[in-house]
Amino acid sequence: MVLDVALTLFAERGFHGTALSQIADTLGIRTPSLYNHMRSKQDLLRAIVDETTATVLEEFHRVTANGDWETRLREATRVYAYRHATHRREALVVNRDTDSLDEPHRSRLQSRRRQHEHAFRAIIAGGAAAGAFHVGSPALASFAIREMCVSIARWFRDDGNLSADDVAEQYSRYALSIAGAESIRTIPARAPVSAVPRDS
């Protein structure tokens, strides 16, 4: 319960913008009572970033263990986009506040995030070397794909025109297009063109 409240407040106000007294007020308890459930605000942030980054990396490896280069890129993008649509609070906190962690946790968890980045890029580079993708810079393509997925956490709404599945499916197609996969022309879109996300 404490972690969930902290997650909500960190997502709304930022780590530095959230005081322990605000977490306590939301829970309806006195601030000193929080220490029965946690050691520090840093521990709450570390728990959020640790669990989230571990899950992202685990999901990536699970969906990219098999398949050709296009399948791996499509599934890596699909699961990453879906996570940003369904775990928006975690995504906002991790992408904004990881740098606020104290050492050695900051370096360890930043390294885990880089593992995901490098593995994502390696799929595009491997596909390009094999002739499956036609892209000048696998690094730039990887950055573009990952950044467009990260942005989902900022605009997606559960009551919008598109479901999380719709967004993940379409973004996986966009990823193939960015990487220069010719077969993208043969993959039908699930959602109609008119189904655009609502403004925040």
Side-chain angles (χ1 to χ4, degrees), residues 1-9 13 18-38 44:
M1 177 65 76
V2 172
L3 191 62
D4 188 66
V5 169
L7 176 59
T8 296
L9 292 176
R13 307 178 183 188
T18 301
L20 285 178
S21 59
Q22 294 170 321
I23 296 175
D25 287 345
T26 302
L27 290 166
I29 62 176
R30 297 175 64 247
T31 301
S33 299
L34 279 176
Y35 293 98
N36 295 325
H37 308 279
M38 45 152 269
L44 294 173

Side-chain angles (χ1 to χ4, degrees), residues 28-92:
I29 62 176
R30 297 175 64 247
T31 301
S33 299
L34 279 176
Y35 293 98
N36 295 325
H37 308 279
M38 45 152 269
R39 288 183 296 180
S40 68
K41 193 170 74 162
Q42 273 283 327
D43 276 358
L44 294 173
L45 178 60
R46 178 179 54 78
I48 292 167
V49 177
D50 196 357
E51 180 179 356
T52 300
T53 55
T55 302
V56 165
L57 200 56
E58 178 185 338
E59 290 177 342
F60 173 88
H61 288 307
R62 175 176 55 80
V63 301
T64 60
N66 300 294
D68 58 23
W69 293 112
E70 288 194 16
T71 298
R72 293 180 189 181
L73 179 58
R74 184 171 61 246
E75 293 307 310
T77 305
R78 189 198 310 274
V79 73
Y80 198 49
Y82 185 82
R83 168 154 284 273
H84 280 78
T86 57
H87 293 77
R88 299 190 298 281
R89 295 179 303 166
E90 292 89 341
L92 290 169

Side-chain angles (χ1 to χ4, degrees), residues 73 117-118 120-129 133-146 178-179:
L73 179 58
E117 174 190 346
H118 294 164
F120 211 106
R121 185 189 308 172
I123 291 178
I124 301 175
F133 301 139
H134 303 280
V135 62
S137 171
L140 187 59
S142 174
F143 179 79
I145 293 167
R146 293 177 71 254
I178 289 171

